[in-house]
Structures are given as structure tokens and as C-alpha cells.
Amino acid sequence: MTIAEMHRGVRTQFEQVAAQTLDNFLPGELDYYINRAIESYVDRQRALLLSPKEQVKSREANENLRTLIETESLTSLANLPDFGDGTVSLSLSVLGSTYAYFLKGRVKDDENQFYNARKVSLEEWHEHAPTKHNVPIFREPVIFERGDEIWLAMPNDAGDPSELILTYLRPPVDVSSELQITLTVQENSSATSDGKLHISGQEYPAPWNTNLSTTLDDFVESHANDIWTNHEVRLEREGTNKLLLTTSAFYVTASSLATTDGRVEFTISNSDGRVDSDLPETTHQDLVNHTVQILRSDLPQPAKRE
């Protein structure tokens, strides 16, 4: 589903089950609830993904989160001498995607032997650190997350680590219904007619006035209120020669804009926004359902008739 389709699904389903509408909800407010549903959904699926007792559900969770699962090979290993030989740290800043949760790790040592790595708590990590009264013996690499680093300790009989193959979960993107369109404006001094901006078939003239800065100020002052009233599009100046159009009205797109060249010429130089969910399409109806559940739990329900 696109973000527009998710909005329609949430509104329709909520009205069916809650006997009330979301007419007073702004698109940005629905974005907030959909993002809450996505975050909660990912947390639940992650727990199933890592559960050794839920093999069928774990496979389903892997399918549901497959677009968020990343695997990278890390070789920039820095020694941590305070924790004994073969203990290294790795910076998470070198990853190609934002790191959210550890899933699996495999370690290769300088003897080309591979080991599966297990994530441990802070207490378990310190049990592996050699001290005067503690000479640990352990048979597998262990990983501890510390801030923006991963610490890795190798087994006693292994060589020094040379590579960590890290499988992790990146965070989902935040969906957004907001669209921003940047117009670059320039003067065509050889033209005599007014340039015009067309939004969904309605035209807004831009007569030339002395210089480009004054012309843009006049255009915003003359049309900003009408453009908002007619299209729910916010019009603003952006720098010396640009205008910024911002909207959450789904019928307004870059392709719904048109221009008529005159002494003032408009060019669409950038269109940004309208972020759809990056979870697999097969999860989107579940996200709509979960959003409706959150809305129902958060919003006061209408009183029942006696």
C-alpha cells in the first residue's frame, strides 16, 4: 500500500468498528499513529524472529521483516587490551544502514576458522573478562553492545578475530503523507506576458514587479491564502529564487502542477516526501489493523445509548 492507501484503509476501518469518524484528524496525526503501529509491529515480530521455540512463527517473522534485515562484513577491529587478548571493539558507525537490533553474528579468526557469536548482557560480559581471581574458559565468541560500539571476545582456543559477519535489524522508515515541491523561478526578460502557476487546473498569475525578489514576495502575498484554501497547499519563499509548496493533500502531486511561461518562469526543481512503509506489502493490512486498534485504545469512545 502507498501511504495514501494506508490512510484510506485506517479511516474506513476505524469508522466501521468504532462508530465514529476521523474527519477531524490531520494527515500528520494519522502518520503518527501509523508509525506507532509500525514500531510496535516490528518489536513483536523481532521477538518471534529470535524465539527458538516458535519455529513456524519465527519463519513468518523473518518474512515479515525481510526488508529490514541487513548483513555486513566488518574488518575494522580495534583491540580492547583491558579485557584480555582476542577482545576487540567495532564501531557501528561504519555500517551501511542504521543499526537497531542484533540478530546473528559469525566470526572468522586469523586461522580462517568460523564461529557463531552470541550476544550477552553486561554481567555475562564481565564474567568473560580475566581478573586476578577469574580465568574464564569459554567455547564461543560473545558480543556485547556498548553505545555505538560492539565488543567481541573470542574463545580461549581460537585465533585473533579478523572479521565479524553481522546480521542486524535496521529501523523502519517513518511514513509521511507530507509532500514538498520546490519551484525554481527565473526571469525571461524577452517575454512580456505574465508567467502562471497551475495547481490542479487552477491558475495563479505572477506579474513581474521590478526584480525577482519583489516579484516572488508579491506572488506569495497575493496567492498564499487562496492556494491554501483551494488546495491545502502551503506556499512560502525559499531562498532568493525559489518557492516551496508543502501539502498533505494526496491529490496534489508534482505532476498535478503546470506552468505557463512568461517573464516569470517556474521550474519544478525538486519533489520530496510521501514516504511509504518499507515493510513488505504483505504486512500492510496488519499495520492498518494495528493502527485502528491503537486509535481505539487512545481515543474516547462515544457513549452508548440507554
Side-chain angles (χ1 to χ4, degrees):
M1 295 182 186
T2 64
I3 183 59
E5 291 168 334
M6 294 186 80
H7 273 234
R8 287 194 293 271
V10 169
R11 290 182 184 275
T12 301
Q13 194 164 315
F14 183 83
E15 291 171 9
Q16 290 174 344
V17 300
Q20 61 186 123
T21 69
L22 296 173
D23 291 344
N24 294 328
F25 261 63
L26 298 174
E29 293 176 300
L30 274 191
D31 289 345
Y32 164 77
Y33 276 97
I34 292 172
N35 283 319
R36 275 183 58 186
I38 291 173
E39 182 179 357
S40 174
Y41 180 85
V42 169
D43 284 344
R44 294 204 315 269
Q45 294 297 308
R46 178 175 60 89
L48 292 173
L49 181 64
L50 298 176
S51 174
K53 297 180 180 180
E54 299 284 355
Q55 293 186 3
V56 174
K57 291 183 178 180
S58 179
R59 288 195 295 269
E60 292 176 354
N62 186 87
E63 178 71 16
N64 293 335
L65 298 181
R66 68 183 186 275
T67 56
L68 305 184
I69 297 174
E70 304 282 353
T71 298
E72 294 193 41
S73 173
L74 304 175
T75 56
S76 299
L77 313 181
N79 288 326
L80 285 172
D82 291 344
F83 288 93
D85 294 337
T87 305
V88 297
S89 68
L90 306 93
S91 173
L92 295 173
S93 63
V94 301
L95 294 175
S97 300
T98 302
Y99 176 90
Y101 300 106
F102 172 87
L103 295 179
K104 300 291 182 182
R106 294 193 73 206
V107 184
K108 184 173 77 171
D109 66 13
D110 56 6
E111 299 172 357
N112 287 324
Q113 298 297 315
F114 284 88
Y115 304 82
N116 290 326
R118 176 173 61 91
K119 191 177 79 167
V120 296
S121 66
L122 176 61
E123 182 176 351
E124 289 176 297
W125 172 264
H126 277 276
E127 289 177 357
H128 287 82
T131 66
K132 180 179 179 180
H133 302 291
N134 181 41
V135 181
I137 298 175
F138 55 105
R139 303 176 185 275
E140 60 182 346
V142 292
I143 282 176
F144 173 63
E145 298 170 319
R146 181 183 181 274
D148 62 351
E149 293 181 336
I150 281 181
W151 289 1
L152 168 67
M154 293 295 286
N156 297 76
D157 59 351
D160 291 332
S162 61
E163 180 183 8
L164 171 63
I165 303 170
L166 180 67
T167 301
Y168 63 97
L169 207 64
R170 66 168 178 82
V173 300
D174 286 338
V175 301
S176 175
S177 57
E178 185 176 271
L179 175 68
Q180 290 189 325
I181 303 172
T182 302
L183 302 176
T184 299
V185 188
Q186 63 183 12
E187 177 192 6
N188 180 0
S189 57
S190 64
T192 57
S193 60
D194 292 342
K196 296 176 182 178
L197 175 66
H198 306 264
I199 303 177
S200 300
Q202 190 161 346
E203 67 178 40
Y204 299 92
W208 182 259
N209 183 5
T210 311
N211 56 53
L212 187 59
S213 180
T214 304
T215 299
L216 290 179
D217 286 340
D218 289 352
F219 184 80
V220 172
E221 184 176 353
S222 298
H223 299 304
N225 288 337
D226 288 341
I227 289 175
W228 174 256
T229 300
N230 296 335
H231 312 288
E232 296 183 49
V233 176
R234 187 167 65 250
L235 172 67
E236 302 170 289
R237 280 284 303 271
E238 180 84 356
T240 58
N241 66 331
K242 289 181 171 59
L243 295 172
L244 181 64
L245 303 175
T246 305
T247 184
S248 292
F250 289 117
Y251 70 89
V252 178
T253 63
S255 61
S256 70
L257 303 182
T259 62
T260 300
D261 288 341
R263 187 163 181 182
V264 174
E265 295 183 345
F266 298 97
T267 303
I268 297 175
S269 56
N270 188 42
S271 178
D272 186 35
R274 296 271 161 82
V275 180
D276 299 327
S277 172
D278 58 350
L279 287 171
E281 180 78 19
T282 51
T283 68
H284 290 184
Q285 185 57 54
D286 287 340
L287 297 177
V288 169
N289 298 343
H290 193 36
T291 303
V292 171
Q293 292 174 354
I294 295 174
L295 282 164
R296 292 189 69 190
S297 65
D298 276 14
L299 301 181
Q301 300 298 304
K304 295 183 180 180
R305 295 182 179 179
E306 297 291 340

